């Protein structure tokens, strides 16, 4: 078994979510976190209205400087203060912006995150005769 099945259908569904929901930016690039003033958002941050994430709040996203309607990566964070894990979409981010987002999400001892980049593999179970 592969460590990660990073298949094209998963990313297609994320793109559909992105396109079917309204993107609301509530923390523009350079703004500070509402609780922790030392945390400065490296790119625009917001959520997809009319969506529901694992925390029962709308799905979060980071929106970079590239105009795009495609999810290029997801960040998965584990937070021991909130006692949760969250998925955040990365849309239109340059490589530099992606690195800044990872630094932002990993800068405290209480939260750590990993990045999963978009894949294009066709899963074996999707093959037809």
């Amino acid at each position: 078994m592969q460590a990660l099945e990073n298949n094209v259908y998963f990313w297609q569904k994320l793109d559909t979510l992105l396109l079917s929901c309204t993107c609301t930016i509530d923390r523009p690039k350079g703004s500070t976190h509402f609780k922790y003033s030392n945390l400065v958002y490296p790119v625009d941050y917001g959520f997809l209205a009319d969506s529901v994430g694992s925390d029962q709040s709308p799905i979060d996203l980071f929106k970079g400087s590239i105009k795009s309607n495609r999810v290029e990566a997801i960040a998965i964070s584990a937070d021991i203060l909130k006692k949760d894990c969250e998925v955040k979409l990365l849309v239109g981010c340059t490589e530099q912006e992606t690195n800044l987002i990872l630094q932002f999400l990993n800068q405290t001892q209480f939260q750590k995150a990993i990045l999963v980049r978009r894949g294009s593999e066709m899963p074996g179970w999707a093959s037809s005769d």
Side-chain angles (χ1 to χ4, degrees), residues 6-77:
N6 192 354
N7 78 68
V8 68
Y9 295 122
F10 172 77
W11 297 98
Q12 181 186 59
K13 299 305 174 227
L14 289 180
D15 290 343
T16 301
L17 276 172
L18 178 65
L19 291 169
S20 65
C21 297
T22 302
C23 177
T24 301
I25 300 300
D26 59 349
R27 298 175 196 161
K29 176 181 177 177
S31 63
T32 57
H33 190 277
F34 67 98
K35 280 187 180 176
Y36 308 105
S37 60
N38 60 317
L39 300 179
V40 178
Y41 288 90
V43 299
D44 289 343
Y45 182 77
F47 58 91
L48 295 178
D50 303 322
S51 70
V52 180
S54 61
D55 60 355
Q56 301 305 305
S57 296
I59 297 170
D60 297 323
L61 81 152
F62 288 98
K63 192 153 176 56
S65 59
I66 300 170
K67 185 174 177 159
S68 176
N69 288 321
R70 191 173 134 115
V71 178
E72 290 300 334
I74 58 172
I76 304 169
S77 63

